[in-house]
Each structure stands twice: as structure tokens, then as C-alpha cells.
Amino acid sequence: MSTKRLKIVFLGAGNVATHLSKALQKAGHPILQIYSRTEKSAKELAMQLNVPYTFNLSDLNEEADLYVISISDKAIEPLLAQKDFGTKLVIHTSGSISMGVFKGHASNYGVFYPLQTFSKFKEIDFKKVPVCIEANTRENEEILLAVARELSDNVQLVSSQQREIIHVAAVFACNFSNQMYAIADKLLKEHGLPFNILLPLINETAEKIKITSPVEAQTGPAARGDQNVIDNHLKLLTNFPEFQKIYSFVTESIQSLQETRNK
Amino acid sequence: MSTKRLKIVFLGAGNVATHLSKALQKAGHPILQIYSRTEKSAKELAMQLNVPYTFNLSDLNEEADLYVISISDKAIEPLLAQKDFGTKLVIHTSGSISMGVFKGHASNYGVFYPLQTFSKFKEIDFKKVPVCIEANTRENEEILLAVARELSDNVQLVSSQQREIIHVAAVFACNFSNQMYAIADKLLKEHGLPFNILLPLINETAEKIKITSPVEAQTGPAARGDQNVIDNHLKLLTNFPEFQKIYSFVTESIQSLQETRNK
């Protein structure tokens, strides 16, 4: 499928902006300019793409077909308060900000939310990244769907309400499961043991749920109701009251979801 | 490497017993018998291995070289109270039970702890499963190390104290991260959204920590300090006070580990 080449300006130079601008450039869309409040970040990404940059919002290139706002959620409203996009198509890439944020600041707008955890240090196969699209008109929807389908094999229309649910679910599935790894790492380090002994286990845990539901896949002392083990683990965590609290609540939560399962 | 063929009796027929007995049989060790308190479980595993079974502890085959106790942690002591193993080599496969549990019930004993989450519905490549070995004599240690190395490329000597730390870390990294998937699943289902939209994200989260530490890999509103998003997520979870509590504590925990990182 081939779509029109869109001239694009990126507002933002963080993890998402970096991966998305590279993918769009690779797909043949000219990136006209990178804007970031922080000169260093703007310059860094602009150099990778070999395009101009600015850290001054009033120097924004006005010739683009598409403006992509990819900055931290809390910075989106303040940026829109400073900059009117007129009839230009403008989108953001946030999981949790409603499309309504654009009202009064643009007449053509939408959302392009790539559901993935991006880090600058690691390449991503964009083909496999689910992209959630929303737009204020059917025409804008078609433009965004076409661009998204060039990058990804998994493109879906998702409303603002659905997107915020997906985002909070993603925080549990990604950020919070990663924090469970971080706690494990901390406990092992504290006792001079290597984190990498857990890698096959972590891998298998993430694999299992491709073929069954997480509730069905659950194992371990909480699911088995092995109270002796649970008590012993809580004792082992005495020096980490914060981890102890998490241990207790997550154990309770496992047991309550297992009960639902057995009903 | 080839070791002596050991005649083996399995006590237990759960997830670990199933995977371990199959792997040992495949490696050439004759499984003489399966014992389980529950006839159905004993029969099921025995049929898969094509070996005899019993659900009566007094009918245990006395001819084995090695007795493998692979039952729930809380059932190990009661079983040992009923059965003396004399000079036979007996081991358990538990992460959290000290090797000392065998004292007074056997003179040759040890632990063979495969650090993995086993489910009956999914095959495992045992070669990649880290196996933690402990034994009461150097000779028994050599026997168990040799058997373990036949099954796995990752065999380590681990004391009871180290093993219980590894086990609690494994509960966080596996059971608790899986519970984060389960909560995500529940939230999505509640709104008619499919869990599989999260699979690429879950996969990438588990991949990232192969090349960097979990603290370094962390992304999302907690790590960014995006309080608006956090507040909005807590509001979205109003109908799930239990998930709300977990959200708050894990968010705090992420922020406290990120602070350590930035120091």
C-alpha cells in the first residue's frame, strides 16, 4: 500500500518521538524539522535524522502537512496554549490525553498512539507495534490510518475513552511488571546473587500468556495458598517494608482473582 | 556427558513433577513409580510415562536409587513424618524449603530446584532452566550435579539461604508480574477490549531487561513523574479499590527506585 508523502514536523524528541520519526522517515515521509524545548534533545534527534531543529516554538516550520506532538503528557496543554495550528493536521501520541485537548487550537486533529515501551537504547520492529488511531473527521481518520498501516501490521481505531483504559492496562502490564523485575533485582543484589538467573523464568512468564489467560497461567505460593511460604517470604522482606506491602497486596489480589476463576 | 542410570521414584504428580519426570526419563533414567496422594493425578502422570503408580505411601517401591519429592511445600514435612528413607538418596524440588527438612528422615539428601514456572499445558526446553543444587555430602552433590547437567545447561550450587532469596525474587519476577498481566486483562475485558493488544508490549518489557537493568529500562507515568496521568488512572480504577491500592504502592515503589538510580 502506498500513501501520499506527508511533510512532517515533530514536536518532541523523547523516546516515542525518536522511534516514530525514524520509522516515518524510513517509510518515505520527509521530516522537515524537530522542535524541542530542550536544545540538546532537539539537536540529538535532528542529527540522527539529518534534518533542521529548533527550540523556539515561534520558529516552527509552517510548511508541513502533519504536526506530531510527542512530548510528556503534562506538557501538551501548555504547548497548545502557546501555538495555534489553524487548519494544519496535528496529532499527539499519548495514551492518556483525550483527543478533545485540541479543541480551540486546531480544526484538523487526531491521535496516533503506538502501544509499546520505547527506549532510545533499543531498536523496535514497528511492524509489530499496535497503533491506536483516532481523528476528528473521517478524512483525517483515513490519512492517519493509511500512514499507520505503512508502519505497522496492527492498526486499530480506538476512542479516547478506550485508549485511556488501554493505557492504564499497559501501565500494569509493562511498567508495573517491570517494577516486579526491579524489586527481584534489588533483592538478589542485596545478597550478591545475579539477576540473570531469573531471565528464563521471566521469558517463560511472558510466553505463557500467549497461549492462555494470565489467571489460568498463574503458579506459585499465592495461587496454591501456601501460607507457610508466604509468611516466610514476608519475614525475609523485613528490611524492605515497601516490598513487604506490595507482596501482601499482590498476594491478596492473586488469591481473589484465582477465586473468581474457580467459580 | 554420561552418568549412571538412576532408578527413580517420584513422589508428587503436579506441574514440576510432570516436567521433571519426563525430562529425566527422556535422559535415560528409568522412572520406577509415581506416588501421589491423589489417585487421579498419580494415574495421569504414570500413564504419560507408562510406569506404575500408587496412592499409598506404604506401597512405595523400595528399589530406587533416587526419590524425588515434588509436592506442595506445605506437604513436605508431613510426608517425611510418615516415611523414613533410610540410606536412600532423597531430594525435594522446592524453592523455599530448607534442606534441613530431611534431618532425621534420611541420611543422604539434597535439593534439586528448577527455577522455572511449569504448567502442564506447555512444553519447556529444560536445557535453559537454571537448576539450583544442594546436597548433604560431597558425594551426593556430585550425583545431583551430574544428573542436573544432563538436563540443563545452567546448573549452580546454591545454599538453602540463597535459594530462599532466589525464590522470593522469583515470586516477584514471575507470579507478581503475571498478576500485573491479569489485572490488565481484567480491566480490558471489563471494557470489551482484547488482552492480546498488550502482547507486543509485554514481550518487549521482558526483552529489554536482557540488555539493561529493570530500573534503567523503566518508562511510563510513574518514572516520568506525570502526576496528572497517575491521578487520572487512580480515578479510572474507582470500581477496583484493590487495583487502586496496588497502583499507588507500585507507583511509589517505582519512584523510590528511580531516585536511587538518579543519585
Side-chain angles (χ1 to χ4, degrees), chain A residues 73-74 96 115-119 121-122 124 128 130 156 162 164-188 191 193 195 197-206 208-212 214-215 218-221 224-226 228-229 232-233 236-237 242-243 245-247 249-251 253-254 256-257, chain B residues 73-74 96 115-119 121-122 124 128 130 156 162 164-188 191 193 195 197-206 208-212 214-215 218-221 224-226 228-229 232-233 236-237 242-243 245-247 249-251 253-254 256-257:
Chain A
D73 292 356
K74 61 180 172 231
S96 56
L115 180 50
Q116 188 49 284
T117 168
F118 296 100
S119 296
F121 62 80
K122 190 168 180 305
I124 285 273
K128 291 182 188 159
Q156 314 201 17
Q162 291 175 318
E164 69 178 4
I165 297 298
I166 292 173
H167 189 234
V168 66
V171 166
F172 277 95
C174 167
N175 308 144
F176 288 5
S177 64
N178 185 70
Q179 180 63 7
M180 300 302 120
Y181 308 158
I183 292 173
D185 186 18
K186 178 105 180 157
L187 292 172
L188 291 169
H191 293 84
L193 294 161
F195 178 64
I197 197 170
L198 295 180
L199 291 179
L201 178 65
I202 286 171
N203 195 61
E204 179 67 11
T205 306
K208 264 188 183 179
I209 51 155
K210 294 180 184 169
I211 56 175
T212 190
V215 168
Q218 192 58 281
T219 59
R224 278 197 310 272
D226 222 330
N228 292 344
V229 177
N232 186 43
H233 283 172
L236 284 173
L237 296 171
E242 179 186 294
F243 298 165
K245 249 183 348 192
I246 290 173
Y247 191 101
F249 288 129
V250 179
T251 292
S253 180
I254 289 173
S256 118
L257 286 193
Chain B
D73 292 356
K74 62 181 172 228
S96 56
L115 181 49
Q116 189 49 284
T117 168
F118 296 99
S119 297
F121 62 81
K122 191 168 180 304
I124 285 273
K128 290 181 189 162
Q156 314 201 17
Q162 290 175 319
E164 69 178 3
I165 296 298
I166 291 173
H167 189 236
V168 66
V171 166
F172 277 95
C174 167
N175 308 144
F176 287 6
S177 65
N178 185 70
Q179 179 64 9
M180 300 302 120
Y181 308 158
I183 292 173
D185 187 17
K186 177 104 180 156
L187 292 172
L188 291 170
H191 293 84
L193 294 161
F195 178 64
I197 197 172
L198 294 180
L199 291 179
L201 179 64
I202 286 171
N203 195 61
E204 179 68 11
T205 306
K208 265 188 184 180
I209 50 155
K210 294 180 184 167
I211 56 174
T212 191
V215 168
Q218 192 59 277
T219 60
R224 277 197 310 271
D226 222 328
N228 292 344
V229 177
N232 186 44
H233 283 172
L236 284 173
L237 297 172
E242 180 186 293
F243 299 165
K245 247 182 349 191
I246 291 173
Y247 191 100
F249 288 131
V250 180
T251 292
S253 180
I254 290 173
S256 115
L257 286 193

Side-chain angles (χ1 to χ4, degrees), chain A residues 68-202:
Chain A
V68 182
I69 300 177
S70 191
I71 58 184
S72 90
D73 292 356
K74 61 180 172 231
I76 295 180
E77 275 204 63
L79 183 143
L80 289 172
Q82 285 181 265
K83 171 74 194 164
D84 192 291
F85 286 88
T87 58
K88 295 288 189 176
L89 179 55
V90 55
I91 59 178
H92 73 64
T93 60
S94 160
S96 56
I97 301 293
S98 162
M99 184 171 70
V101 73
F102 289 112
K103 273 183 198 150
H105 307 293
S107 55
N108 292 297
Y109 52 83
V111 178
F112 186 112
Y113 172 51
L115 180 50
Q116 188 49 284
T117 168
F118 296 100
S119 296
K120 286 182 183 165
F121 62 80
K122 190 168 180 305
E123 291 300 309
I124 285 273
D125 179 2
F126 226 101
K127 280 279 162 216
K128 291 182 188 159
V129 177
V131 178
C132 303
I133 294 294
E134 188 181 11
N136 74 321
T137 66
R138 187 65 187 270
E139 201 184 344
N140 292 330
E141 196 177 283
E142 288 306 324
I143 296 171
L144 296 179
L145 283 174
V147 175
R149 285 182 185 135
E150 288 181 312
L151 305 191
S152 166
D153 292 333
N154 187 352
V155 178
Q156 314 201 17
L157 282 175
V158 168
S159 72
S160 288
Q161 289 90 328
Q162 291 175 318
R163 183 159 35 80
E164 69 178 4
I165 297 298
I166 292 173
H167 189 234
V168 66
V171 166
F172 277 95
C174 167
N175 308 144
F176 288 5
S177 64
N178 185 70
Q179 180 63 7
M180 300 302 120
Y181 308 158
I183 292 173
D185 186 18
K186 178 105 180 157
L187 292 172
L188 291 169
K189 275 218 183 74
E190 203 74 19
H191 293 84
L193 294 161
F195 178 64
N196 68 10
I197 197 170
L198 295 180
L199 291 179
L201 178 65
I202 286 171

Side-chain angles (χ1 to χ4, degrees), chain B residues 131-164:
Chain B
V131 177
C132 303
I133 294 294
E134 188 180 10
N136 74 321
T137 67
R138 188 61 188 268
E139 200 184 345
N140 293 329
E141 196 176 282
E142 288 306 325
I143 295 171
L144 296 179
L145 284 174
V147 175
R149 285 180 185 136
E150 287 181 313
L151 306 190
S152 166
D153 292 333
N154 187 353
V155 177
Q156 314 201 17
L157 282 176
V158 168
S159 72
S160 287
Q161 289 90 327
Q162 290 175 319
R163 185 160 33 80
E164 69 178 3

